Amino acid sequence: MNSTFDPLVGQVLDGRYEIVAKGARGGMATVYRARDLRLTRAVAVKVMRSDMGEDDEFAAKFDREARSAAVLSHPNVVSIFDQGSSQGLPYIVMEFIGRGTLRNKISRSGALPTSRALELFEQIAAAVAAAHEAGAVHRDTKPENVIPTPRG
């Protein structure tokens, strides 16, 4: 996780999700490592960027993303636990994998062996297929959005 100062780090969203560290920042949101104080577990919290908060269309898109992902139940798809809004910022609470992205791995280690790349591709394709079967389309499939689990 990125240690750069962020005003949300140390805050508690909705009296439940304590923001522990900043992770990745994307085009519409920042992902944080957080602690669910009620269930005492690590979670990832995706918070819509504050500069997007005034855009009702953008907020609706963020809400649709949470609802679309929440219906998915697949071993290759991160689980969605909750969604809400705190301090005027919409957020999505997800399963915390606790590892770097596929992009991080490739940057550190270089190209993957062909057999491993094919294994990952099969899993990514299965996840995308599950989303399509549920009527959801992931419009941002890229190595930064693939997080290998400890099981591979």
Side-chain angles (χ1 to χ4, degrees):
M1 293 282 168
N2 187 336
S3 63
T4 304
F5 173 76
D6 186 288
L8 276 183
V9 173
Q11 299 292 314
V12 177
L13 303 181
D14 282 341
R16 180 171 182 180
Y17 303 108
E18 179 184 14
I19 304 298
V20 175
K22 181 180 178 180
R25 181 177 166 125
M28 72 187 276
T30 301
V31 179
Y32 298 89
R33 181 170 47 93
R35 181 130 184 96
D36 181 338
L37 300 175
R38 188 176 307 157
L39 297 176
T40 61
R41 66 177 172 183
V43 294
V45 178
K46 183 176 187 176
V47 180
M48 191 169 83
R49 289 181 21 195
S50 59
D51 59 324
M52 304 287 192
E54 300 299 319
D55 187 336
D56 291 339
E57 183 179 325
F58 208 77
K61 180 179 176 182
F62 194 79
D63 181 67
R64 280 192 309 273
E65 175 188 339
R67 292 174 190 277
S68 295
V71 301
L72 298 176
S73 178
H74 190 275
N76 300 118
V77 177
V78 171
S79 296
I80 303 296
F81 298 145
D82 195 9
Q83 80 166 115
S85 183
S86 183
Q87 304 167 25
L89 299 172
Y91 65 85
I92 301 169
V93 181
M94 305 171 283
E95 173 184 9
F96 180 71
I97 304 299
R99 298 178 58 110
T101 67
L102 181 57
R103 171 70 65 211
N104 299 138
K105 182 172 180 54
I106 293 169
S107 294
R108 277 192 318 270
S109 305
L112 299 172
T114 303
S115 60
R116 180 65 181 136
L118 287 171
E119 288 172 8
L120 286 172
F121 181 76
E122 286 181 51
Q123 293 176 50
I124 295 164
V128 170
H132 286 202
E133 288 171 13
V137 176
H138 194 298
R139 292 181 171 91
D140 199 20
T141 305
K142 59 187 178 184
E144 290 84 355
N145 290 334
V146 175
I147 305 169
T149 66
R151 296 182 313 272

